[in-house]
Amino acid sequence: MKVLITGGAGYIGSHTVLCLHEAGHDVVVLDNLSNSSVESLKRVGELTNKCAQFIEGDIRDEQLLNRIFNEHAFDAVIHFAGLKAVGESVARPDLYYDNNVNGSMVLMRAMKAAGVMRLVFSSSATVYGDPASLPITEDFPLSATNPYGWSKLMVEQVCRDAAVADENWQIALLRYFNPVGAHESGRIGEDPNDIPNNLMPFISQVAVGKRAELSVFGDDYDTHDGTGVRDYIHVMDLARGHLAALNYLPKQKGCEAYNLGTGNGYSVLDMVKAFETQNQVPVPYRIAPRRPGDIAACYANAGKAEQVLGWTATMTQDDMVRDTWRWQSHNPNGYK
Ligand code: NAD
Ligand code: WQD
């Protein structure tokens, strides 16, 4: 297949480009490099002996999109492009609604104009808000607690409504749980700007000596050790989930959501201990107050993705912490 990947230079996008190359697909990446560098794609090229065509540009640039769709006969689009920092979204909601919601609408307009109506969209477990029970299935009530979450929920709604209005749309909403890890080569991985918001990049920056200690946000949650529990999923499992969705879309009617998680919940301290044990490196931490907006626990029932897409996560917690560390220790300054 020939596939347009928006945001393909980013963390999950670059691993997915690699996976698609290995499966023999042709890839064109559109990315404005607002949170990434072309170095990721260069390294994917080295790892796969295949170069994705790269177009530097913005998904909100409708003229550019129309030109790209005229020049290439795409079979599908995988849409990663977007902003993802929860705190920043509270401070600058305008940026998030414009980039994530408006950007997705411009993209879908250009797709429809070109008759390319297969779309895989990066959604998030954040659309479940604070779930009433666990594990989470796709039919749980949806809600959001910050503009980032709302932007994902809004794009999901745009997709569902579009698919009702026009039965030619075939859309997979992939709700990722907590993506972590890196390709096993240690050549590509997550390269956060500034201070990481997420747990795993923070742990690995402490381990490599860039930060003094990890703040564990709260140890009084109703979980097995009091710290927050999440469903961490290896980014290569996630990348393969996109491939599975891409392969299934021609058979799918309308718009469907799929949880991509492992179904396992690990606490913050579980992750710290696994990282230390597997990598033989200390991760100093201290207990800090809860982070506003955090929930106690969140993990997936990924049964629908298994039954329908034939996909299941195969990588372990040890794989996650080992590959995170390989990437971080080989590239202490990321792609810089
Ligand atoms: P990332 O920031 O590494 O990748 C996003 C990419 O999109 C970047 O390369 C960025 O430069 C590009 N981009 C942003 N706005 C753009 C625009 N207007 N036009 C063109 N390119 C643009 O993030 P990621 O972790 O790889 O996340 C990919 C997607 O998955 C995002 O939509 C994110 O919201 C979603 N998601 C991420 C997580 C996570 O924890 N990483 C969890 C759930 C969902
Ligand atoms: C995980 C756990 C923290 C940092 C966020 C977004 C979500 C999705 C994934 C995009 C929690 C704890 C963290 C630290 C800590 N992104 N923690 N110290 O909050 O589950 O989800 O990323 O869609 O929308 O909200 O992930 O990695 O930030 O936190 O103790 O320095 O680690 O409290 O329990 P989260 P996270």
Side-chain angles (χ1 to χ4, degrees):
M1 278 190 244
K2 186 159 192 184
V3 186
L4 175 66
I5 304 196
T6 75
Y11 171 45
I12 307 168
S14 54
H15 290 78
T16 303
V17 173
L18 182 145
C19 209
L20 262 63
H21 277 175
E22 286 178 341
H25 298 295
D26 274 341
V27 170
V28 175
V29 169
L30 171 66
D31 198 304
N32 67 2
L33 302 180
S34 59
N35 196 37
S36 54
S37 95
V38 281
E39 180 65 19
S40 62
L41 293 175
K42 207 179 118 213
R43 294 188 185 186
V44 168
E46 286 163 12
L47 290 165
T48 60
N49 284 322
K50 195 169 168 181
C51 273
Q53 185 179 337
F54 175 68
I55 301 167
E56 184 173 348
D58 198 295
I59 52 166
R60 292 164 294 183
D61 182 343
E62 197 155 359
Q63 275 188 348
L64 171 67
L65 285 178
N66 288 333
R67 203 164 66 236
I68 294 172
F69 280 102
N70 276 334
E71 281 169 13
H72 301 270
F74 291 116
D75 299 290
V77 175
I78 304 182
H79 175 33
F80 292 104
L83 302 175
K84 62 166 182 176
V86 172
E88 184 188 55
S89 81
V90 175
R92 291 297 311 272
D94 54 326
L95 285 184
Y96 277 68
Y97 292 123
D98 184 40
N99 207 66
N100 295 6
V101 183
N102 176 40
S104 299
M105 291 175 69
V106 171
L107 173 67
M108 288 176 71
R109 222 167 25 238
M111 287 177 68
K112 187 166 177 169
V116 179
M117 297 182 76
R118 286 185 190 140
L119 173 65
V120 178
F121 172 63
S122 296
S123 188
S124 165
T126 194
V127 299
Y128 296 114
D130 191 353
S133 63
L134 294 166
I136 299 169
T137 49
E138 288 81 357
D139 54 0
F140 269 36
L142 303 178
S143 66
T145 52
N146 55 67
Y148 169 72
W150 279 114
S151 76
K152 290 291 169 190
L153 211 49
M154 286 178 187
V155 176
E156 283 206 357
Q157 194 59 41
V158 168
C159 289
R160 280 188 286 271
D161 290 343
V164 169
D166 185 337
E167 61 183 17
N168 291 313
W169 281 108
Q170 294 170 304
I171 305 177
L173 308 172
L174 301 186
R175 294 179 180 154
Y176 317 152
F177 280 66
N178 287 60
V180 296
H183 185 256
E184 61 177 11
S185 63
R187 293 290 292 156
I188 57 170
E190 184 170 12
D191 183 17
N193 280 332
D194 229 9
I195 303 172
N197 297 305
N198 293 115
L199 179 66
M200 280 306 283
F202 208 104
I203 288 179
S204 59
Q205 289 198 4
V206 171
V208 85
K210 288 182 85 171
R211 314 211 171 264
E213 62 180 8
L214 169 75
S215 295
V216 174
F217 297 142
D219 67 348
D220 56 353
Y221 286 107
D222 184 15
T223 61
H224 63 272
D225 62 13
T227 66
V229 164
R230 297 291 184 273
D231 185 338
Y232 296 96
I233 174 169
H234 196 292
V235 66
M236 287 308 297
D237 272 334
L238 207 51
R240 285 188 274 271
H242 290 75
L243 188 59
L246 197 63
N247 288 333
Y248 182 71
L249 268 190
K251 288 178 269 178
Q252 186 193 284
K253 283 195 172 37
C255 178
E256 287 288 336
Y258 303 95
N259 286 342
L260 296 188
T262 64
N264 301 315
Y266 292 111
S267 73
V268 176
L269 293 182
D270 290 337
M271 295 307 281
V272 170
K273 283 173 199 151
F275 195 98
E276 291 184 320
T277 308
Q278 179 71 18
N279 300 317
Q280 291 298 299
V281 57
V283 179
Y285 67 85
R286 70 179 173 86
I287 305 299
R290 290 183 178 192
R291 184 172 64 178
D294 272 356
I295 58 176
C298 172
Y299 51 90
N301 175 328
K304 182 176 175 186
E306 181 169 6
Q307 281 144 27
V308 179
L309 306 179
W311 170 90
T312 179
T314 60
M315 300 187 79
T316 64
Q317 186 195 30
D318 282 349
D319 296 328
M320 299 179 203
V321 295
R322 183 202 59 220
D323 292 340
T324 300
W325 181 234
R326 189 179 293 116
W327 155 252
Q328 179 71 69
S329 53
H330 290 186
N331 307 268
N333 296 314
Y335 291 114
K336 281 157 216 93

